[in-house]
Amino acid sequence: MYRQHIVIRVAKLPQIHNRIALFRAERGMSRRELAEAVGVNPQTIGYLERGDYSPSLELGMKIAAVFGAPVELLFSFTPFESVAAALRRAAE
């Protein structure tokens, strides 16, 4: 009897970069407060901020709504410029 092996290839999704921690800090909001506002566990917010987890479209939109910002200000497929670099550039 032969065993048949099935190989499933999963396409690697691009990493989603975010500015959640920056927006939270700017507003003095804790992970717990943001989690409660969007209906998730506070650990989920931590996973998102570290880039260990990519949000669903629904969660991304809920987070953007809490901050009153467009989704693209919070999430990107390319890394965001650091705040320090942006401030240096603005001062030039």
Side-chain angles (χ1 to χ4, degrees), residues 6 25 30 38 54 60:
I6 298 173
S30 70
V38 297
S54 293

Side-chain angles (χ1 to χ4, degrees), residues 21-36:
L22 181 68
F23 274 72
R24 277 194 318 97
E26 183 179 85
R27 287 160 177 79
M29 180 180 272
S30 70
R31 285 181 178 170
R32 178 171 303 284
E33 290 169 326
L34 178 56
E36 288 173 0

